[in-house]
Every structure is written in structure tokens, then in C-alpha cells.
Amino acid sequence: MTIAEKAKQELSKRAVYLILDWSSLGTWKRVDTDKVVTKKQKRDDEVRARKRIIDSSAMSEMRSVRYRVKRMLRMYALNSMFRPGVYAIPVEHIEHVDSVLKDAGQKMESVRTNLQKEWPSIIKDAKERLGDLFEAEDYMSAEVAVNELQLNFRYMAVAETPAILKTIAADVYKDDLERAKKETEKELEAFRLHLRAALLEIVETMRKTLQKPDGDRKVFGQRFFKRLDEFMATFQVRNLSDDGELKKVVAELKKVANGTDLATLKTDAPTQKSLDKTLKGINTELEKLVEDGDSRMMDLSMAS
């Protein structure tokens, strides 16, 4: 099924692009295999060794900030096909996304401050931990290290041709409008595939839990449906491509979730088996939708 014309025309009104730039410090570094002692002969193409050059509570805090931002993007954004770090944000989610990013920016100030304080002890600790593998050139000054930790973001209109072209280069403006239409269709296909693949991953993860052998720990309760609940809560707004086929699957999964008694699911093997059988059918539906989406993306790429 191709993208409806209405969805193409309304994309610029329904979403904006978020341009997100992270920069950080590498905390691990490759080690020359000649410096690694083993009992057997080594081959460089088969042996890889790394050393942890930075062990820092500030960097742990940084990872926590990044995790919160990534989780927010997973729930409220769609990956753009243009390049990593570009996301489509439905207009209904902009205020929440902006709030999370601003909070992350404030926490990054704390990360930088703490890293500056830690830096001398980081290097001292590395000397003690790494011994002969310590190399002073692995470490920049504290000021430079702190400046490496950045979080910057801005917003841009989706699929918009600069109006100024209309007055200074009409032919260029017309050509760019045509390109914008094609790119909009490809973006919407990418958004559709993103949601289909994300839901397929969720269902596959749920089935892995249900299929664990008896005796293995199976986590049910609210956590079992958490990712699915998060997906369904934002699906309607994130469904920028108006994917009717995926909408039917989401409705089907909603019925499954609402019809499952968690208390029974935790202890009753037949209930677990029955739920897995139901999810298997949905899993197959989603695999077909993802396959169709992949084919459509390939056709569009070859046609461009």
C-alpha cells in the first residue's frame, strides 16, 4: 500500500525535524595485541584487546542522561532516513520533547563540572590500573575534555522548499518542490517502516519471555506489557504515514493486552502458551508488513 496523498501534503503541518548533536569522550581504547600476554600464539585478525582509559562517575552520569533522552526519543519520535541524529517529532509531542532535552542540557552542565573536578584523579587512577599500558598521550587537558561533552539541538521544518527561491530562481524552486515531494514520500515510508519494525521487536521480546523453559525466570506483571503500552500510548500521534494496516494490528494487540489477566499469566502455563500462540499470529502479520515496507523503500530508492 502506497502512502496516501493527504499524508504527504500534511506532513509539514504534523511534525518538525529535531536535529540532535551529541559529543562525548571515548572511555575505552584499542591496545596493540603485541602488548597482550597470552599462552597461545595470537593473530591480529582474530584477537582484539581494549583498555579502559577513563573510569569516571561523571561519565556514568552522562550515560544516564543519554539513556533518558534515548528512551524519550524511542517513545515520542521517529527516525529520519536522512542521517543519524535527525528525528521527526509530531507537533503534539514537541513541548514534552523540548522539556526533556532542556533538562538533559542542565544535567550536562553538572556532568561537565564533575568531570573537571575528577580529571586529575581519573588520570592518577588510570596510571595505577593500567600499569605499563598507561599512555599519557591518551589524556587531554581537563578543559578540552570537558568541552568534548556537548548536547545541542534545534528544530527545522519538514519537507519545506525555501520560499526565497521562488523569487530569485523559479526553475530551481520548481525542481526543489518536486524533489521535496519525492523525499516526503520516502520519509513517510521510513516512518511507517520504523513503527512496524519497532512493534515487531516488542512482540518478539514478549514471545521470548513466554517461551522460556520452565524453571527460567519469566518477568510478567506490568513490566511484561510496559513497552507495548508505551508504543500504543503514542502510536496514534506518531502514525504520520496514516498506516491503516498497522493500526489494525495495534487494535488487535490492545484487545489481547486488555483481555489478559496478569495474575493468571504469572502462574498458569496454559495461559502463557495460549498468549504465545496468539502473539505468534500477530508476529507473522508484522513480519509481512515489515517485509512489504522494506520492498517499498527499495523501490523508491531505485526510482530516485
Side-chain angles (χ1 to χ4, degrees), residues 27-41:
T27 57
W28 292 81
K29 186 177 178 182
R30 284 269 313 267
V31 175
D32 187 341
T33 54
D34 290 339
K35 297 180 180 180
V36 180
V37 178
T38 66
K39 294 181 180 180
K40 295 183 178 181
Q41 186 176 1

Side-chain angles (χ1 to χ4, degrees), residues 25-291:
L25 288 171
T27 57
W28 292 81
K29 186 177 178 182
R30 284 269 313 267
V31 175
D32 187 341
T33 54
D34 290 339
K35 297 180 180 180
V36 180
V37 178
T38 66
K39 294 181 180 180
K40 295 183 178 181
Q41 186 176 1
K42 301 184 299 295
R43 285 179 53 186
D44 286 347
D45 60 339
E46 294 185 355
V47 176
R48 295 288 184 271
R50 297 190 305 160
K51 59 181 178 180
R52 187 173 190 173
I53 58 174
I54 298 175
D55 187 4
S56 158
S57 60
M59 294 305 294
S60 296
E61 186 182 353
M62 166 91 171
R63 287 190 289 272
S64 177
V65 174
R66 292 188 70 136
Y67 170 77
R68 286 193 290 272
V69 171
K70 285 182 177 180
R71 183 174 183 275
M72 175 272 292
L73 292 172
R74 187 187 76 209
M75 291 177 61
Y76 296 100
L78 292 154
N79 294 342
S80 169
M81 68 173 196
F82 290 127
R83 69 177 178 90
V86 179
Y87 305 88
I89 311 296
V91 293
E92 294 90 338
H93 292 163
I94 290 173
E95 287 188 4
H96 177 73
V97 168
D98 195 69
S99 174
V100 172
L101 291 173
K102 285 178 178 175
D103 180 64
Q106 292 175 354
K107 286 182 168 62
M108 287 295 293
E109 289 293 337
S110 171
V111 170
R112 285 190 285 269
T113 299
N114 291 338
L115 185 67
Q116 177 109 26
K117 293 176 181 177
E118 278 189 292
W119 199 247
S121 61
I122 288 172
I123 297 176
K124 181 182 178 182
D125 169 70
K127 285 181 180 179
E128 295 173 357
R129 285 189 299 103
L130 299 176
D132 293 341
L133 293 177
F134 175 83
E135 296 173 293
E137 56 266 31
D138 289 338
Y139 302 88
M140 57 198 78
S141 68
E143 291 74 18
V144 173
V146 166
N147 195 53
E148 287 290 312
L149 306 184
Q150 297 290 336
L151 167 61
N152 299 299
F153 65 95
R154 62 191 179 94
Y155 302 99
M156 283 182 56
V158 173
E160 190 170 281
T161 295
I164 192 172
L165 289 177
K166 193 172 185 178
T167 57
I168 64 175
D171 289 342
V172 175
Y173 178 75
K174 183 179 178 181
D175 290 344
D176 197 67
L177 277 178
E178 194 58 38
R179 280 193 295 269
K181 288 179 183 178
K182 292 179 180 178
E183 292 301 323
T184 297
E185 184 175 10
K186 288 166 72 175
E187 273 287 73
L188 285 168
E189 286 287 357
F191 297 159
R192 179 156 67 178
L193 183 57
H194 170 113
L195 289 176
R196 290 178 175 188
L199 187 55
L200 175 60
E201 181 188 358
I202 291 169
V203 171
E204 287 176 339
T205 300
M206 293 170 72
R207 292 195 64 216
K208 284 179 183 176
T209 298
L210 290 164
Q211 293 171 3
K212 284 183 178 179
D214 292 340
D216 284 12
R217 184 169 178 264
K218 300 181 182 181
V219 179
F220 292 114
Q222 296 301 325
R223 286 179 60 189
F224 180 69
F225 285 108
K226 184 178 180 182
R227 288 280 302 275
L228 179 60
D229 288 341
E230 290 175 350
F231 183 95
M232 292 192 296
T234 60
F235 170 70
Q236 185 172 348
V237 172
R238 290 200 297 161
N239 186 22
L240 297 174
S241 68
D242 293 333
D243 188 346
E245 292 171 304
L246 188 59
K247 189 175 181 179
K248 291 177 184 177
V249 176
V250 170
E252 196 175 346
L253 278 166
K254 194 169 186 178
K255 288 181 181 179
V256 171
N258 290 339
T260 301
D261 180 72
L262 291 176
T264 304
L265 183 65
K266 288 180 183 179
T267 57
D268 189 62
T271 299
Q272 295 171 13
K273 191 171 182 179
S274 175
L275 178 57
D276 181 52
K277 183 178 180 180
T278 301
L279 291 178
K280 181 180 179 181
I282 295 174
N283 200 125
T284 301
E285 289 182 64
L286 285 168
E287 285 176 340
K288 180 65 167 58
L289 290 181
V290 169
E291 184 180 335

